Amino acid sequence: MTFTLGTDRLLIRDWVEEDTEAALEIYGSADVSQWLSPAIDKVGDAATMRVILQAWIEAQPNFVVPAGRWAVVRQEDGEVVGGLLIRLLPPYEEDLEIGWQFRPTAWGNGYASEASRALMKWAFEEGSTDELFAVARPNNKRAIATAVRLGMEWVGETDKYYDLNLQVYRIRASEFKAIKL
């Protein structure tokens, strides 16, 4: 089953192996990788990125809705500009995290907010979740600003996720529905 979700400017879809070079522009960027949780090094080359994408593609059918990983494509030119995910946060795997990663050349266009808002709407309508969390390192001003733009509220700081000191933001389905989109 293929997943697609559209916005005015973007298409959210499953990753495919042909996205390797575009994905490398995201996950191979030190400007992106320095903020990833769990902490990982930037992806160094296309061969490594291809292996990672293959793992994501293989795992996708096994996720329970609304969890998954998706590519974000700009509709006007078909360029992959980012990635989205919804996954269980460690250590107890009770809380669902929404995350966004966009290539630096796509920053400042509102893509992260637009795509995340569409995915959140889908997750609340189709998934069996009533809340989503976002986590960000304290100095990651872009991620924090995006979480706030999405209507997420700061709920504190913790080191329980990924053994990193992280800012935690949350939005409940009822709060999301009250936001004017």
Side-chain angles (χ1 to χ4, degrees):
M1 185 164 103
T2 303
F3 178 91
T4 58
L5 186 62
T7 71
D8 289 343
R9 302 181 298 162
L10 304 169
L11 178 68
I12 302 161
R13 62 157 172 80
D14 292 330
W15 286 102
V16 294
E17 277 190 58
E18 292 76 22
D19 295 330
T20 298
E21 291 298 327
L24 185 59
E25 288 185 41
I26 301 163
Y27 302 100
S29 168
D31 290 332
V32 174
S33 65
Q34 70 176 322
W35 304 114
L36 295 178
S37 302
I40 62 169
D41 293 330
K42 70 180 185 142
V43 177
D45 56 52
T48 303
M49 188 75 247
R50 186 174 295 104
V51 169
I52 292 169
L53 276 182
Q54 288 169 340
W56 292 351
I57 293 164
E58 185 177 308
Q60 190 75 358
N62 300 316
F63 287 122
V64 175
V65 172
R69 287 185 174 272
W70 302 276
V72 179
V73 178
R74 192 170 41 217
Q75 289 196 40
E76 72 180 38
D77 59 11
E79 289 289 320
V80 174
V81 294
L84 292 174
L85 64 83
I86 295 179
R87 66 179 168 198
L88 289 167
L89 280 164
Y92 307 114
E93 299 191 343
E94 296 171 350
D95 300 332
L96 281 173
E97 171 191 13
I98 184 167
W100 48 86
Q101 306 83 38
F102 284 75
R103 68 182 194 204
T105 58
W107 292 354
N109 293 295
Y111 295 152
S113 297
E114 183 177 331
S116 296
R117 195 171 289 114
L119 189 62
M120 291 165 74
K121 182 177 188 293
W122 170 81
F124 288 136
E125 290 175 356
E126 303 297 325
S128 59
T129 187
D130 60 350
E131 64 185 359
L132 290 168
F133 292 85
V135 296
R137 299 197 195 188
N139 293 327
N140 189 347
K141 292 178 174 51
R142 288 183 173 279
I144 291 169
T146 299
V148 170
R149 273 193 301 279
L150 291 169
M152 301 181 97
E153 292 187 33
W154 184 76
V155 293
E157 189 169 285
T158 186
D159 62 0
K160 84 175 188 179
Y161 305 128
Y162 310 114
D163 294 322
L164 295 169
N165 184 39
L166 298 169
Q167 301 290 309
V168 181
Y169 292 81
R170 177 186 62 212
I171 190 164
R172 292 187 171 107
S174 59
E175 298 162 345
F176 183 79
K177 290 174 185 169
I179 296 172
K180 299 278 187 214
L181 298 177

